Amino acid sequence: MCPSATGAPSPGCASEELDRVLTRLSQETGAYASALYLLSPDRRVLQLAVLSGVSRRIATPWARVALAAASPVSDAVREHGLVWIGSQEELARRYPQLALALPHPFTVAAAAITTGRRVWGGLVLHWSSGHMPALSAAEREAVADACHRLGLILRQAADSGHAVRAGPEPHIPPAPRRRTAAPAEAQAAVDFAERLPSGCCALDVDGRIAFLTTTAADLLGAGMADLLGARPWQAIPWLDDPVAEDRYRAAVLSRRPTSFTVRRPPDQWLSFHLYPDASGTSVRIVPTTSADDVPPPHLVHPAPAAGPGRATALYHLTHLAATLTEAIGVHDVVERVSDQILPGFGAQALALMAAEEGRLRIIGHRGYPTELMHRFDAAPLTSDTPAVHVLTTGIPSFFDTFADLKRAYPPAVLQDDMAAWAFLPLITSGRPVGSLVLAYSRPRAFPPEERSFLTSTAGLIAQALDRARLYDAKHELAHSLQAGLLPTTLPTVSGLDVAARYLPASHGMDIGGDFYDLIRLDETTAAAAIGDVQGHNVEAATLMGQVRTAVHATAGASPGEVLARTNRLLTDLNPGLFTSCLYVSLDLSHHQACLATAGHPPPILRHPDGHTEILPLSPGLLLGIDPAADYPTTHIALPAGSVLALYTDGLVEAPGIDIEEAITTLADRLARARHQTMDALADTLVSHAQSSASRSDDTALLLISPRRTEPHTGT
């Protein structure tokens, strides 16, 4: 690290070191592009932080990747491993949505960036399709070493109080160049290019024209000043065609030369030849007499110069269609729509609204301040506003300027500092479910083709939103069910200190069958139970409630008998799900405990002197398999000051981690936290699970400690 004057890493230092690691990795592996993703603070989204080798515009749809999504980088991060895609066929098989959005030949590797059990993000590398079908041993070692060094940089930056975060736009390091020309040599290069009979130009990494010859400008029919710094398909109306931008994207992503032929109105055919590398793309423009070699696209309605290009809109619409198939909740839909629609159609803000109980509620927004959204929220469906009008009529409205909006709705007052708006109905199965508002900071026209695009897009969003609201309703119902089945508080037992924690899974339905319980029997005896029903759905949560009820009904019997009776009940019910369970009988007057297990992870006992022991209980079958199963009991001493830790496997299981090593690590953590209170100890033990990038299972923890009695002192 490059320290600051105070000895701590400076804020910009970590970014410089990340750039160096990524540059070196590209040199060692030959990867033409790299992307560094960092986990968002809520650890649910991977955000693009550093990008090299490809245009920011191309990477926009993947600037934010949900951790639960199906993509190479999210899969690598969730699995703490490496994902390799060696062909376009493999990409289509494993990630069909990604292959649909990027139908170009390339190979890709994605790897998790970790330090110990802490996950920081993921790394993505791209090669051309000419790469070997598998990564070489040297390439794998280079990727692993780079991920290790990136993790150390990120951890040290976080420890110093300068944690690296992804910005609104990804950081793009300077593109590597083979050589740098002196001024005289640069002029000689310009003279050389000007003498060529055909036109040529250079596009930078972001697809903008950085250089072009006079002949190229003449062939394109535009002035130098209008072309320099612009993207060709935005500055030249007849190049605003899906083929032109698609061929550019294909060249950049495959790193192979490509070409296309297009007609410049009225009858001039031009052939474009693209030669890409890490610093940009060189383009030759050659006049041709026909399009026999490469069939030209037929431009029926050339797009106007203003507004987003058709190619860009098609690109983002395709990606939106693919990504919405994975959206699972309303918030997820809002985020994915915002990520695609704003850049795809050049809007600066949007708001999604849904009809609820006679009012139009704002369910998500991007680009608008929250305070402003509160003013418009919950408008009655009888109000005369464009958002309500499009919902009730199903007819979209477009306003090129505020004056147009004012003419249609005289009471309208400009409150959002925007200058043009599109109000779109969200209709699915013939019924309206909400409205979408897109706002633009400058006046603009909405040509017929773009209106059609926006309206079609709104229909796609409506379908996803309808599914998402249904999912959220089921999700809320399932969580209410689970919350009602878990104990809200633990009973007070004299002479006993207890603490419990429950963590839902971090993706999926977020519900499961993990449970814990403490049962007060009398003044000196109590019972504790912890278990895990197979599955993560409403059925698992329901069965969990039945298991808790059965344990309560038989509490007071020996642990082996409690499990045996519960097992017979479950086999009679035949739910098709199995359950692990650990039951403990506590004799506080004699400082003893009796335990029995039905396939549950072993408890951990911390003795009063601080050393820990993983208790070797005699195993018993999972509940619900064999009605005649036997559950042996084990007696242990439980002196005052000891701590008995009961937990479910979500606390110790992680991809690539040996379960026995994980339990040993948990025991070590319990030993080191000797002087903490029970609540602080519970937080310490679950903290590593909370910091994990993804928990595929829910987690329950129950801590039990006989209280030390203070000696009586007389006068």
Side-chain angles (χ1 to χ4, degrees):
M1 278 285 191
C2 39
S4 65
T6 62
S10 61
C13 177
S15 178
E16 295 171 5
E17 290 208 50
L18 294 175
D19 287 353
R20 284 194 288 270
V21 171
L22 294 174
T23 300
R24 177 180 171 184
L25 178 61
S26 295
Q27 294 170 347
E28 291 177 346
T29 62
Y32 68 75
S34 63
L36 173 65
Y37 285 86
L38 298 178
L39 275 170
S40 60
D42 64 1
R43 310 189 71 79
R44 290 179 177 270
V45 175
L46 289 162
Q47 297 174 307
L48 183 57
V50 183
L51 176 70
S52 67
V54 295
S55 165
R56 180 190 292 114
R57 189 178 181 84
I58 291 178
T60 294
W62 294 277
R64 290 165 52 88
V65 179
L67 191 59
S71 75
V73 66
S74 54
D75 284 358
V77 171
R78 287 199 310 269
E79 297 164 8
H80 295 206
L82 184 142
V83 172
W84 166 252
I85 305 297
S87 68
Q88 194 68 16
E89 292 76 15
E90 184 179 4
L91 182 69
R93 185 176 65 254
R94 296 178 59 180
Y95 303 103
Q97 294 89 352
L98 182 60
L100 176 65
L102 291 176
H104 311 297
F106 60 89
T107 56
V108 63
I113 300 172
T114 64
T115 52
R117 293 175 64 91
R118 179 66 185 267
V119 181
W120 301 95
L123 173 66
V124 178
L125 298 172
H126 281 246
W127 292 264
S128 72
S129 58
H131 189 282
M132 296 295 290
L135 285 174
S136 67
E139 288 171 333
R140 283 183 174 271
E141 182 177 352
V143 172
D145 180 64
C147 288
H148 174 70
R149 285 184 286 143
L150 292 170
L152 293 179
I153 293 169
L154 294 169
R155 184 178 68 182
Q156 188 170 349
D159 290 345
S160 69
H162 298 294
V164 180
R165 302 290 187 198
E169 298 281 350
H171 165 63
I172 299 180
R177 285 180 167 78
R178 298 177 184 178
R179 54 184 295 228
T180 302
E185 187 180 15
Q187 183 59 52
V190 171
D191 294 339
F192 165 80
E194 289 285 357
R195 287 191 292 269
L196 295 175
S198 57
C200 60
C201 66
L203 308 181
D204 64 16
V205 175
D206 209 31
R208 300 179 184 276
I209 299 176
F211 165 80
L212 80 160
T213 62
T214 305
T215 303
D218 291 340
L219 290 172
L220 295 174
M224 287 270 194
D226 296 324
L227 294 173
L228 285 172
R231 296 184 179 90
W233 40 88
Q234 291 179 333
I236 305 170
W238 50 269
L239 266 182
D240 182 23
D241 179 82
V243 172
E245 190 172 356
D246 178 75
R247 288 298 83 200
Y248 164 73
R249 192 179 298 113
V252 170
L253 291 175
S254 66
R255 277 302 193 268
R256 289 184 172 183
T258 188
S259 64
F260 64 95
T261 301
V262 66
R263 182 177 61 184
R264 171 191 163 187
D267 55 7
Q268 174 66 69
W269 291 97
L270 296 175
S271 181
F272 293 78
H273 302 261
L274 286 67
Y275 303 89
D277 76 359
S279 62
T281 303
S282 297
V283 183
R284 286 187 60 214
I285 308 172
V286 182
T288 63
T289 57
S290 70
D292 293 339
D293 294 334
V294 181
H298 299 286
L299 301 182
V300 180
H301 299 290
R310 287 184 296 168
T312 299
L314 279 172
Y315 177 56
H316 286 277
L317 180 59
T318 300
H319 190 76
L320 176 64
T323 193
L324 283 180
T325 63
E326 299 175 346
I328 58 173
V330 171
H331 177 74
D332 200 11
V333 168
V334 171
E335 290 300 306
R336 293 170 187 254
V337 167
S338 301
D339 291 342
Q340 300 303 319
I341 294 299
L342 291 181
F345 291 98
Q348 281 67 55
L350 67 76
L352 266 172
M353 292 165 280
E356 295 179 0
E357 299 178 349
R359 293 183 178 274
L360 196 59
R361 303 303 302 254
I362 294 177
I363 58 175
H365 59 89
R366 177 83 64 86
Y368 276 130
T370 302
E371 298 78 14
L372 179 64
M373 292 295 95
H374 285 162
R375 281 186 238 160
F376 289 97
D377 191 24
L381 294 183
T382 55
S383 59
D384 185 21
T385 65
V388 170
H389 179 76
V390 300
L391 172 67
T392 55
T393 65
I395 302 173
S397 297
F398 301 90
F399 302 100
D400 299 358
T401 64
F402 178 68
D404 294 335
L405 177 61
K406 186 75 172 176
R407 277 193 295 271
Y409 296 91
V413 177
L414 183 61
Q415 299 186 60
D416 61 0
D417 296 325
M418 294 294 173
W421 299 263
F423 292 87
L424 306 166
L426 302 179
I427 301 175
T428 180
S429 300
R431 60 183 180 85
V433 296
S435 303
L436 169 65
V437 180
L438 295 179
Y440 301 81
S441 58
R442 295 182 179 181
R444 69 192 310 280
F446 293 94
E449 185 178 57
E450 186 177 353
R451 294 188 179 206
S452 176
F453 249 118
L454 288 170
T455 304
S456 300
T457 302
L460 191 68
I461 296 168
Q463 295 176 19
L465 184 61
D466 201 35
R467 293 193 303 269
R469 295 178 73 188
L470 179 61
Y471 173 89
D472 283 348
K474 292 182 177 179
H475 193 260
E476 183 179 355
L477 176 63
H479 268 282
S480 298
L481 171 64
Q482 185 178 37
L485 294 174
L486 284 172
T488 54
T489 59
L490 294 175
T492 301
V493 179
S494 179
L496 206 60
D497 286 332
V498 295
R501 296 291 184 271
Y502 175 79
L503 300 177
S506 60
H507 66 275
M509 278 293 289
D510 294 347
I511 66 169
D514 284 20
F515 67 92
Y516 59 86
D517 221 336
L518 181 68
I519 307 166
R520 183 181 182 276
L521 299 175
D522 58 35
E523 293 298 327
T524 60
T525 60
I530 194 163
D532 184 359
V533 178
Q534 175 191 28
H536 300 88
N537 48 36
V538 174
E539 289 77 14
T542 303
L543 184 59
M544 175 262 284
Q546 294 172 320
V547 173
R548 280 194 64 219
T549 300
V551 169
H552 265 266
T554 55
S558 70
E561 183 61 23
V562 170
L563 293 183
R565 293 180 185 178
T566 304
N567 175 57
R568 288 193 291 271
L569 171 65
L570 292 189
T571 53
D572 289 342
L573 292 174
N574 190 24
L577 300 175
F578 304 132
T579 303
S580 73
C581 187
L582 176 66
Y583 183 89
V584 184
S585 177
L586 302 166
D587 183 350
L588 303 180
S589 62
H590 296 91
H591 299 290
Q592 291 181 342
C594 183
L595 305 91
T597 181
H600 200 79
I604 302 172
L605 177 63
R606 188 179 73 188
H607 294 270
D609 63 2
H611 84 276
T612 55
E613 176 185 3
I614 301 171
L615 299 179
L617 303 184
S618 299
L621 280 177
L622 292 170
L623 303 178
I625 297 179
D626 180 5
D630 183 48
Y631 298 95
T633 58
T634 300
H635 292 267
I636 64 168
L638 193 63
S642 62
V643 176
L644 183 64
L646 314 180
Y647 55 93
T648 56
D649 53 12
L651 189 62
V652 290
E653 280 190 344
I657 303 296
D658 180 78
I659 186 67
E660 292 184 359
E661 292 181 6
I663 293 174
T664 301
T665 300
L666 180 63
D668 292 341
R669 188 174 288 107
L670 178 62
R672 290 195 300 270
R674 181 179 177 184
H675 300 294
Q676 292 184 344
T677 64
M678 292 292 283
D679 276 330
L681 178 58
D683 291 336
T684 296
L685 296 183
V686 301
S687 61
H688 72 290
Q690 288 176 308
S691 64
S692 175
S694 175
R695 297 186 304 278
S696 60
D697 200 0
D698 46 344
T699 297
L701 171 69
L702 179 60
L703 300 178
I704 302 168
S705 177
R707 192 178 301 143
R708 287 188 174 94
T709 56
E710 297 297 330
H712 177 72
T713 57
T715 56

